[in-house]
Amino acid sequence: MRTPCPAWLWASCWGLCSRSQPSMSSSLLLCSTTLPTPLKINRRLHLSKTKHSKFNESGQLAFFYLFSFAWGASILTAEEFMTNPTLLWKDYPHSHMLFQVKFFYVCQIAYWLHALPELYFQKIRKEDIPRQLYYICLYIAHISGAYVLNLQRLGLILLVPHYLVELIFHASRLFYFSDENKQKGVSLHAPSCARLDCPLIFTLWALLFVMARLLTLTLSVLTFGFGLARVENPGFSIADGNFNVLTVRISCLAAICLTQAWMMWKFINFQLKKWREHIQNQIPKKKITYTKSKSTKKEPNRANFINGAVKLEDGASPRTRKSKAL
């Protein structure tokens, strides 16, 4: 049977880390003390409140994605999940996890759970709370679902490329905010850096974003539609951790497909919006015609009219026109 794991408390997570691997806990403390604080960086960059919140969010997430990507990639390399895709469903249920896999999921769930009260303690703007709440809840639901349903291998192989794409985006946004010349006249919303006239790194992020969505859908259909459907021991047993029934497989596949479709829908709508703005900015403004400016110059000043008669400057009277003899 599966041993219970206290995945919901930071204290237990930190205690497990310090008891089993003291070097890891000491390295985390060293990173937290040696990294420059966001306040010092913001003082140097003189960021506004909106840019300040975006910069803090990208800085925190970029460090987390970097650490998680490196950790997850090392596990995939050691377990050879990438070279043999049949290991995603072979010998299911995978109730006996390795320590590093279980500890990886413990840290992931603990981090995204701690992000919920952090929205209040960091005094996030009301406009940004729904956007951050959406992706935090999606992370908690998908990672916890993979952990509870014994789909840790599939969840791990899907998280690593996703974290790589998010790392590139947030690291690029950090460089973007650091460059004062590129801050003028650009929107600051979620994928604000993915403009058509942005540097090459954001184009790379857009391509990898689409590739990651296709990879997620392909592996999900392959695992739930073909692999788990042909496994030798199908059935439902909570005691054994076996959830390989048609209802669970369809529900998991539908949840993944809906999430990927929602992400692509937002991505495509944003790109279309920025593309229209880019085209509108390229249209030159109409210049004022020469005839209109010439007619305005010929009109006499209204201040020189008195009782319908024209009064010239210096008290001079207008010249009378001679009538032609008939």
Side-chain angles (χ1 to χ4, degrees), residues 45-61:
L45 298 177
H46 303 287
L47 298 176
S48 61
K49 291 183 179 181
T50 304
K51 296 178 182 179
H52 173 85
S53 62
K54 298 290 182 181
F55 189 87
N56 289 344
E57 179 189 2
S58 294
Q60 181 182 5
L61 291 177

Side-chain angles (χ1 to χ4, degrees), residues 8 36 40 51 61 66 170 192 221-222 249 266 293 317:
W8 314 108
K40 294 181 180 179
K51 296 178 182 179
L61 291 177
L66 175 62
H170 287 284
S192 60
V221 173
L222 184 64
R249 293 199 305 266
K266 293 194 67 176
S293 60
S317 59

Side-chain angles (χ1 to χ4, degrees), residues 25-284:
S25 60
S26 60
S27 62
L28 289 175
L29 282 175
L30 181 62
C31 289
S32 62
T33 54
T34 55
L35 285 175
T37 58
L39 267 176
K40 294 181 180 179
I41 299 178
N42 287 328
R43 287 174 182 173
R44 294 177 183 176
L45 298 177
H46 303 287
L47 298 176
S48 61
K49 291 183 179 181
T50 304
K51 296 178 182 179
H52 173 85
S53 62
K54 298 290 182 181
F55 189 87
N56 289 344
E57 179 189 2
S58 294
Q60 181 182 5
L61 291 177
F63 178 75
F64 171 75
Y65 287 141
L66 175 62
F67 181 76
S68 299
F69 169 74
W71 192 2
S74 65
I75 296 175
L76 291 179
T77 305
E79 299 299 326
E80 299 180 354
F81 292 155
M82 299 291 294
T83 57
N84 190 7
T86 58
L87 294 176
L88 296 177
W89 58 83
K90 188 178 181 180
D91 299 330
Y92 181 85
H94 310 133
S95 56
H96 300 285
M97 286 185 294
L98 297 176
F99 169 77
Q100 55 180 350
V101 178
K102 178 177 288 188
F103 186 60
F104 177 82
Y105 274 90
V106 167
C107 293
Q108 294 296 316
I109 297 174
Y111 176 82
W112 292 114
L113 280 177
H114 111 279
L116 290 174
E118 191 177 343
L119 295 177
Y120 172 76
F121 291 113
Q122 285 193 351
K123 298 180 180 180
I124 306 296
R125 298 190 314 156
K126 293 182 179 180
E127 296 82 4
D128 296 334
I129 289 179
R131 176 183 57 85
Q132 297 188 24
L133 196 60
Y134 287 154
Y135 71 75
I136 290 174
C137 293
L138 285 175
Y139 275 119
I140 293 175
H142 285 75
I143 297 175
S144 302
Y147 183 81
V148 172
L149 299 177
N150 287 325
L151 297 170
Q152 302 89 4
R153 298 178 181 180
L154 177 63
L156 183 62
I157 204 172
L158 294 182
L159 273 178
V160 170
H162 175 75
Y163 280 169
L164 175 62
V165 175
E166 294 298 316
L167 169 63
I168 294 176
F169 169 72
H170 287 284
S172 304
R173 195 164 69 167
L174 286 176
F175 289 117
Y176 168 79
F177 285 137
S178 301
D179 192 356
E180 296 180 356
N181 295 329
K182 294 181 181 179
Q183 293 179 12
K184 299 178 181 179
V186 182
S187 176
L188 298 173
H189 295 288
S192 60
C193 306
R195 297 174 61 106
L196 296 177
D197 54 348
C198 60
L200 180 62
I201 190 169
F202 296 116
T203 305
L204 175 64
W205 165 77
L207 294 176
L208 291 178
F209 183 88
V210 177
M211 293 175 62
R213 306 285 75 78
L214 294 177
L215 177 64
T216 301
L217 291 175
T218 303
L219 291 178
S220 299
V221 173
L222 184 64
T223 302
F224 293 109
F226 299 96
L228 292 177
R230 300 177 181 179
V231 78
E232 295 180 357
N233 54 345
F236 182 81
S237 176
I238 299 179
D240 297 333
N242 191 354
F243 302 93
N244 189 14
V245 292
L246 182 61
T247 306
V248 176
R249 293 199 305 266
I250 292 179
S251 300
C252 294
L253 184 60
I256 295 176
C257 292
L258 288 176
T259 303
Q260 303 306 310
W262 177 73
M263 295 174 66
M264 282 300 302
W265 178 73
K266 293 194 67 176
F267 177 80
I268 293 174
N269 283 341
F270 179 81
Q271 293 293 338
L272 290 176
K273 178 183 176 182
K274 292 302 175 183
W275 179 69
R276 291 166 186 164
E277 293 179 358
H278 180 74
I279 292 180
Q280 290 179 358
N281 293 334
Q282 296 297 325
I283 299 177

